[in-house]
Amino acid sequence: MDREAPDQRPPIPISKRTEWADVTPIPQDDGPNPVVAIAYTDEFRETMDYFRAVYLADERSPRALQLTTEAIHLNAGNYTVWQFRRLILDTLCVDLHEELDFVGLLARDNTKNYQIWHHRRWVAEKLGTNATSNELQFTEEIFSEDAKNYHAWSHRQWVLQALGGWEDELAYCDKLLQEDIFNNSAWNQRYFVVTKSPVLGGLEAMRDSEVAYAVKAILAKPENESPWRYLRGLYKDEVQSLVKDPRVASVCLDVLMNKRDCVHALNMVLDLLINGYQPSKTLENSIDALCLDSGLSNSGLTERVCSVLQVVDPIRANYWKWRKSGVTVEGSNGKELAG
Amino acid sequence: MADEDPIWEDAPDSPSSSSFFDRDRHIRFLEMMYQLLPSPYQSQEINRLTLAYFVVAGLDILYALDRIDKEAVIHWVLSLQAHPKNEVELNNGQFYGFHGSRSSQYHLTDDRVAIPNGSHLASTYCALAILKTVGYNLSLVDFKSLSRSMRNLQQPDGSFMPIHIGAETDLRFVFCAAAICSMLKNWSGMDREKAKDYIISCQSYDGGFGLIPGSESHGGATYCAVASLQLMGFIDKDILSKNASSCTINVPLLLYWSLQRQAQDGGFQGRTNKPADTCYAFWVGGVLRILGADKFIDEGGLRGFLLTCQSEYGGFSKFPGSLPDLYHSYYGFCAFSLLKERDLNALCVELGITAIAAIGL
Ligand SMILES: [Zn+2]
């Protein structure tokens, strides 16, 4: 099969090609009252008319395969075309490595298309563990252009779970985070690896070193939401352990002393206090310093944190006010507000 | 806070943006789209019902449904439904919903090779949403074969495939299934408990939802999760004040994650540390509305951001200063409806159509 590169459109209309002379194209029947009709280009219309003809004739031939290539270039979302292509690939026993090359070229131009990624998975599934390193590498190529590509991350997680290749995954996350510490997709992947990798021993085993990793990232860029959520996520269903880990309160204090009005640090302090954390005098003093700046009253510490947040995070001022009212109503037992 | 954050750097200035929601211009924009979609939309030909949904439901939000021929719309939408020929065919494992367009719909003569029907959950959702919007009585739709065959699409983990020939399964299609059942007032098409378990498994460590278990929290996926739970009756009215342990999902984390998506420029981002984008004003704003927490949105900031995405040609673009498209236009209208813009119809957020359409007047 010769394959066209995505941007090289065939110069000759299909109706003028001798190899298609025996086929009668089938025009689209749009019915008497079409709604939101589309101004098709001639190329689109003709390609789909010929596609209808081979599809209805169930012609699983090399030229039909080539036609699906052309149709996919024009509308990569057409699942009927993709489905027919898979039938042809099976029937003709096409070398699937070639198919991966085709999908690879397409995916680079249409990185947000679901059908392309579904097709890629179909091919990789057929190739099995032979495809593992190739597939991981492929997603890395996509990430070098767009490190947050949602489809590529889903594909990568599927490869890891279905075909393996976990060994270097934590190091890969670290590499991406060193390139961009704000890359939330890489933080998410890190959480995925830490909780799911069969070679690391799970969240319990990894928690200690991961807390240290998150704390380091927070201290480097306290305004970065990602490591704060990651740190909180490490204790997702164990709030009491979060409260008991001295490193959590400590990183909040460090940040508040230096970058004093950090919303994420204040929110974490609020989480701690609501869950029974007994604040150190130093922490209380650092909050008081912020209160003095804002001219806030001398109420309970939890309320004071909310008051500071109302001032330093004006976009969410109503939310922090509401949080404060919850604290006031519930006293120090306002646990239902804890995450 | 935001000064060092890289996400603000590439937001272009848009000095030409207007200071008010230009309803008349938006109506003209949708009328043009209703007449003929420009050729770049041909790459989305397979989802023509979805494009029609944006136009028709959009006109309804704008209070301008009188601009279209409702009978023609009903006739066209119904012509895209797949019908089993008989009882045997109904039990053949296929899904009998709506085709997204003619290019997945083939009528065959009896002696030809049987080609499976290509009806799709998202198209079916859009078809029913359009029909409800133009006031068609859904009890006239052949909902028995639709509901019964929809069960074929639900997976053992509770998620849904959109089409019986196989495709990716994720939260989008759980939402489509829930919205379909809700509109048909018939839940025999899905196992709600299983769907709920799947949704719960998609909640991420930061409180938002990913499209599949393990994937990154995303505004659109979070909408699908929360709207589905709402449609299936799993979200209590006063969910914010309830004890967290009585809820199936972690509500406080979800609330905090959702509110954090409002960025310093006032718009909503779909994911942490990504630029704000028009459509998330609806996806995330809608989640907040369902949770009863839209009172926490900075409405002035959001309105300001959205107006920078309003196009001089009518419609909305994804980012300030770029060209408008139908998708972002529709969700821009939805966002302004959430902001209670005057002369706009109110939304039924969890169905993605107006409240009047949802009631079925
Ligand atoms: Zn968008």
Side-chain angles (χ1 to χ4, degrees):
Chain A
M1 289 304 313
D2 64 326
R3 304 258 158 105
E4 312 276 346
D7 47 356
Q8 286 176 323
R9 289 281 141 72
I12 311 163
I14 301 172
S15 54
K16 302 261 159 51
R17 298 181 210 166
T18 46
E19 73 267 31
W20 287 103
D22 60 313
V23 174
T24 310
I26 301 177
Q28 175 170 309
D29 174 12
D30 221 356
N33 294 300
V35 174
V36 293
I38 301 172
Y40 302 123
T41 60
D42 291 341
E43 185 191 14
F44 185 94
R45 187 186 306 275
E46 189 179 75
T47 305
M48 294 311 290
D49 290 354
Y50 277 88
F51 172 76
R52 265 181 283 276
V54 295
Y55 184 63
L56 286 173
D58 198 20
E59 180 189 315
R60 303 182 198 180
S61 65
R63 71 172 181 182
L65 183 61
Q66 174 59 27
L67 188 63
T68 63
T69 302
E70 293 182 32
I72 284 164
H73 281 314
L74 291 168
N75 56 155
N78 191 312
Y79 42 82
T80 310
V81 177
W82 280 111
Q83 171 65 10
F84 189 50
R85 184 179 180 88
R86 287 191 274 278
L87 283 178
I88 301 174
L89 290 170
D90 275 344
T91 307
L92 300 182
C93 300
V94 173
D95 177 6
L96 290 177
H97 292 95
E98 242 178 86
E99 187 65 6
L100 280 185
D101 294 342
F102 164 69
V103 187
L105 281 173
L106 261 184
R108 283 181 190 88
D109 288 356
N110 298 269
T111 54
K112 306 264 162 88
N113 179 287
Y114 285 94
Q115 278 71 32
I116 293 173
W117 288 97
H118 176 67
H119 187 71
R120 179 134 196 137
R121 181 186 295 198
W122 179 83
V123 177
E125 217 158 29
K126 290 199 155 232
L127 292 172
T129 46
N130 294 328
T132 311
S133 64
N134 189 40
E135 289 311 290
L136 292 177
Q137 199 193 327
F138 175 68
T139 58
E140 286 165 31
E141 283 165 33
I142 299 288
F143 296 142
S144 67
E145 296 286 318
D146 172 13
K148 300 175 180 179
N149 185 295
Y150 209 84
H151 301 274
W153 279 114
S154 295
H155 188 70
R156 190 172 178 93
Q157 292 192 347
W158 172 78
V159 172
L160 290 167
Q161 289 181 308
L163 308 175
W166 292 93
E167 295 73 19
D168 303 321
E169 197 58 12
L170 199 63
Y172 180 61
C173 294
D174 185 48
K175 175 177 171 282
L176 288 185
L177 288 173
Q178 284 187 25
E179 285 165 18
D180 176 14
I181 197 74
F182 290 89
N183 182 349
N184 195 60
S185 305
W187 281 102
N188 184 75
Q189 183 70 356
R190 193 171 179 100
Y191 196 87
F192 176 78
V193 178
V194 163
T195 50
K196 301 254 166 60
S197 168
V199 297
L200 292 177
L203 180 58
E204 284 294 327
M206 293 295 291
R207 189 177 277 136
D208 198 50
S209 55
E210 288 308 294
V211 168
Y213 190 88
V215 165
K216 196 164 155 244
I218 287 171
L219 291 175
K221 295 276 180 197
E223 71 279 18
N224 182 3
E225 186 185 343
S226 295
W228 286 103
R229 303 320 295 162
Y230 186 79
L231 176 61
R232 181 70 186 77
L234 291 171
Y235 289 109
K236 185 164 182 271
D237 300 314
E238 294 161 66
V239 186
Q240 286 313 311
S241 308
L242 178 84
V243 172
K244 287 198 191 91
D245 188 334
R247 290 173 296 177
V248 178
S250 167
V251 70
C252 293
L253 184 62
D254 282 352
V255 169
L256 290 173
M257 304 278 261
N258 292 304
K259 190 169 174 108
R260 301 185 354 183
D261 60 353
C262 176
V263 174
H264 306 304
L266 286 162
N267 175 58
M268 185 67 94
V269 170
L270 184 58
D271 255 2
L272 293 177
L273 291 172
I274 275 171
N275 288 289
Y277 175 73
Q278 296 301 316
S280 66
K281 198 67 205 156
T282 337
L283 182 62
E284 208 162 337
N285 288 342
S286 73
I287 303 291
D288 281 342
L290 294 168
C291 289
L292 286 175
D293 292 354
S294 326
L296 295 163
S297 67
N298 200 19
S299 45
L301 183 61
T302 312
E303 286 168 86
R304 273 177 284 159
V305 173
C306 291
S307 298
V308 175
L309 278 162
Q310 263 178 268
V311 175
V312 301
D313 189 21
I315 288 184
R316 280 161 283 272
N318 288 336
Y319 170 69
W320 298 120
K321 194 174 158 197
W322 176 75
R323 291 288 303 263
K324 187 164 70 180
S325 71
V327 173
T328 314
V329 170
E330 303 292 332
S332 57
N333 287 328
K335 284 197 175 134
E336 66 281 354
L337 294 177
Chain B
M1 272 284 307
D3 51 349
E4 290 172 54
D5 197 321
I7 67 171
W8 319 123
E9 283 172 9
D10 42 37
D13 293 329
S14 188
S16 63
S17 63
S18 50
S19 56
F20 66 99
F21 180 83
D22 197 342
R23 176 170 166 269
D24 293 343
R25 216 177 272 258
H26 295 312
I27 292 173
R28 282 202 297 278
F29 173 78
L30 287 185
E31 274 188 296
M32 262 167 51
M33 296 291 155
Y34 176 71
Q35 295 305 332
L36 189 66
L37 289 167
S39 54
Y41 284 96
Q42 70 188 14
S43 63
Q44 299 175 54
E45 189 276 337
I46 192 80
N47 298 318
R48 199 161 133 196
L49 259 177
T50 307
L51 299 171
Y53 157 74
F54 291 143
V55 173
V56 175
L59 283 168
D60 192 22
I61 293 172
L62 295 170
Y63 245 114
L65 264 190
D66 56 331
R67 312 296 171 103
I68 60 170
D69 179 350
K70 290 183 194 162
E71 287 307 313
V73 170
I74 291 169
H75 188 265
W76 178 73
V77 171
L78 290 177
S79 76
L80 288 162
Q81 191 177 3
H83 299 282
K85 275 198 218 72
N86 48 47
E87 193 73 9
V88 179
E89 207 173 273
L90 176 56
N91 295 321
N92 65 2
Q94 300 189 14
F95 171 51
Y96 292 92
F98 287 75
H99 296 94
S101 75
R102 300 280 176 237
S103 71
S104 58
Q105 182 184 37
Y106 295 89
H107 300 288
L108 296 173
T109 49
D110 288 339
D111 56 330
R112 297 300 274 278
V113 192
I115 293 183
N117 87 73
S119 53
H120 193 281
L121 266 185
S123 309
T124 305
Y125 159 69
C126 289
L128 298 181
I130 294 171
L131 291 173
K132 263 191 105 63
T133 297
V134 296
Y136 185 76
N137 183 352
L138 289 192
S139 64
L140 299 174
V141 171
D142 171 18
F143 64 88
K144 282 203 189 84
S145 54
L146 201 166
S147 298
R148 213 163 114 191
S149 63
M150 204 171 87
R151 291 199 86 100
N152 297 328
L153 300 177
Q154 191 165 22
Q155 304 300 297
D157 65 0
S159 68
F160 274 82
M161 243 174 12
I163 181 167
H164 80 269
I165 55 173
E168 69 282 5
T169 67
D170 60 50
L171 275 182
R172 288 174 302 154
F173 307 117
V174 174
F175 166 73
C176 289
I180 289 165
C181 292
S182 168
M183 285 190 280
L184 292 175
K185 298 188 175 72
N186 181 324
W187 289 87
S188 63
M190 68 188 290
D191 182 331
R192 274 179 275 187
E193 284 298 324
K194 270 194 166 168
K196 183 179 79 174
D197 291 344
Y198 182 75
I199 293 170
I200 292 169
S201 73
C202 291
Q203 188 170 28
S204 166
Y205 63 88
D206 61 11
F209 289 78
L211 269 181
I212 53 172
S215 63
E216 185 185 3
S217 291
H218 182 281
T222 304
Y223 168 84
C224 289
V226 175
S228 303
L229 290 173
Q230 167 82 342
L231 291 166
M232 295 190 295
F234 293 121
I235 295 209
D236 295 332
K237 240 185 150 50
D238 48 351
I239 190 161
L240 286 189
S241 52
K242 281 267 170 67
N243 192 311
S245 59
S246 71
C247 298
T248 50
I249 52 169
N250 189 325
V251 176
L253 272 187
L254 166 64
L255 174 63
Y256 185 73
W257 180 87
S258 305
L259 287 169
Q260 281 296 326
R261 302 286 61 76
Q262 186 163 24
Q264 296 298 323
D265 58 6
F268 276 86
Q269 59 192 194
R271 291 186 262 162
T272 303
N273 290 333
K274 294 264 284 179
D277 165 344
T278 296
C279 66
Y280 297 110
F282 173 73
W283 298 126
V284 183
V287 167
L288 289 167
R289 165 69 66 87
I290 293 170
L291 295 177
D294 47 334
K295 58 194 174 201
F296 301 138
I297 295 175
D298 176 0
E299 296 191 352
L302 178 57
R303 173 182 294 270
F305 172 82
L306 290 171
L307 285 175
T308 65
C309 298
Q310 180 173 253
S311 164
E312 55 181 313
Y313 313 108
F316 285 85
S317 56
K318 176 184 174 76
F319 296 134
S322 40
L323 283 173
D325 63 77
L326 204 43
Y327 170 89
H328 286 96
S329 299
Y330 179 68
Y331 292 112
F333 306 152
C334 287
F336 269 95
S337 171
L338 285 178
L339 288 169
K340 302 189 177 66
E341 176 73 24
R342 66 190 176 89
D343 296 333
L344 291 191
N345 264 317
L347 283 183
C348 171
V349 170
E350 60 274 25
L351 280 182
I353 53 178
T354 66
I356 301 173
I359 297 164
L361 291 178

